[in-house]
Amino acid sequence: MAQAWRCAGLSWTAGGPVLIWDGGRRSALTWGKTVAFGVAEGGARTCVGARGNTCPLAAQVSARSTGPRCEECARLDRAHSVAADTLADDPRPYRVYLAWFGAGMTKVGITAERRGSARLLEQGAVCFSWLGTGPLMAARRTEELLRAALRVPDRIPYAAKRAARAALPATGEERAAEIAVLHARALELTGWPESLAPAPFRPVDHVEAFGLAEAPAPVGVVGELAAGGAVSGELVAAAGPDLHLATDRGVLVLDTRLLPGWELVPAGGRRVEVPVRALKERPAAQDGLF
């Protein structure tokens, strides 16, 4: 039997996307590289555990879920985290950002300063700008200020982000236009925490980093993996957790969050032998931001 590997997920570095494997092995992904794997026969997707510990129940996880943990391990993994608002005493500086994913889709968020723009790449932000830097709770209060005063959300459904990437404006200036307006309005608000230092508007565009400008539009999305199935194709673009693969069924999007929890084995060719669904269409454009 071929050696089986377990994927720990996708990470973004200065050089591009990288697949991480249990045990620390890393696979850098470049445009044109073949991404190919099979799913071990007779297996099931199992919980990856939490905070470095294996799941005590070896619980099964839905093949369609983008979360690779059972309910209990997911709860433990989120404990003492910034995302869950349980890490209020972190002394390191944080940045507030405005991220744009498509027309009418801008969100506010925070990330640790030490992480640079990695968080924005992981989310699939097409364009972003920093808004300010300061202590964690000051950054969190600023995030809440924008939600309340300007009605800027702090979350956007991922399916909507993916659909929006199929119809992006042609120029960086157009892609930055909405966050330019919001950035200016945010700096005019009263109630900013004194300990948060505002940042000038300097948009960063990720279309080139994601390879979206030259890549063919995807025609479908891998819906789930299945024991005995296989996915193989040539990497033509990537954004957030998504890999865009040229396969025998056209360009398909593979959400790498579906990989953890499976035993994966080598495969070849350009075949796709797992369930595929149509790419969700972008909802009608909004009349305005607010």
Side-chain angles (χ1 to χ4, degrees):
M1 179 179 174
Q3 180 180 3
W5 298 85
R6 285 186 171 268
C7 182
L10 186 75
S11 179
W12 279 87
T13 69
V18 176
L19 280 174
I20 310 297
W21 304 91
D22 285 5
R25 179 171 171 262
R26 301 164 69 89
S27 299
L29 301 177
T30 55
W31 311 143
K33 183 171 184 174
T34 296
V35 176
F37 61 87
V39 185
E41 295 275 2
R45 191 184 190 195
T46 55
C47 174
V48 299
R51 305 183 68 80
N53 300 304
T54 59
C55 176
L57 302 177
Q60 289 195 17
V61 179
S62 168
R64 297 182 180 181
S65 174
T66 56
R69 295 178 175 85
C70 67
E71 185 175 331
E72 181 62 17
C73 286
R75 183 186 66 80
L76 291 172
D77 190 66
R78 284 179 62 82
H80 199 59
S81 72
V82 172
D85 276 337
T86 57
L87 191 58
D89 58 348
D90 189 342
R92 296 171 295 186
Y94 279 76
R95 281 173 162 174
V96 186
Y97 61 81
L98 288 169
W100 184 87
F101 300 91
M105 286 189 190
T106 301
K107 63 157 283 188
V108 60
I110 68 173
T111 185
E113 183 181 45
R114 63 183 174 81
R115 296 207 65 209
S117 62
R119 178 67 178 146
L120 286 305
L121 290 162
E122 291 167 357
Q123 293 185 59
V126 175
C127 181
F128 81 93
S129 178
W130 302 119
L131 193 57
T133 304
L136 173 58
M137 295 314 294
R140 186 65 82 194
R141 287 197 298 273
T142 305
E143 183 184 45
E144 293 171 355
L145 175 64
L146 265 67
R147 287 205 308 264
L150 301 181
R151 292 192 292 167
V152 184
D154 63 345
R155 298 180 190 277
I156 294 176
Y158 193 78
K161 298 180 189 178
R162 180 183 291 141
R165 288 200 296 265
L168 296 175
T171 68
E173 290 77 9
E174 291 175 291
R175 295 190 288 270
E178 289 186 23
I179 56 173
V181 172
L182 272 176
H183 192 283
R185 293 188 63 186
L187 293 184
E188 293 174 353
L189 293 174
T190 58
W192 270 61
E194 293 183 1
S195 56
L196 192 97
F201 178 66
R202 290 177 182 164
V204 178
D205 193 273
H206 285 154
V207 163
E208 183 176 345
F210 290 157
L212 296 173
E214 304 299 329
V219 298
V221 179
V222 172
E224 60 184 284
L225 301 186
V231 175
S232 182
E234 177 185 311
L235 183 67
V236 296
D242 287 349
L243 302 182
H244 293 211
L245 304 176
T247 74
D248 60 352
R249 300 168 67 170
V251 175
L252 300 179
V253 175
L254 170 65
D255 188 333
T256 55
R257 295 175 297 178
L258 298 176
L259 273 60
W262 290 103
E263 288 195 338
L264 305 178
V265 297
R270 291 163 67 99
R271 60 197 177 99
V272 175
E273 298 173 348
V274 293
V276 172
R277 54 182 170 79
L279 186 67
K280 181 179 179 181
E281 293 186 4
R282 173 74 199 271
Q286 298 179 9
D287 293 332
L289 277 176
F290 309 106

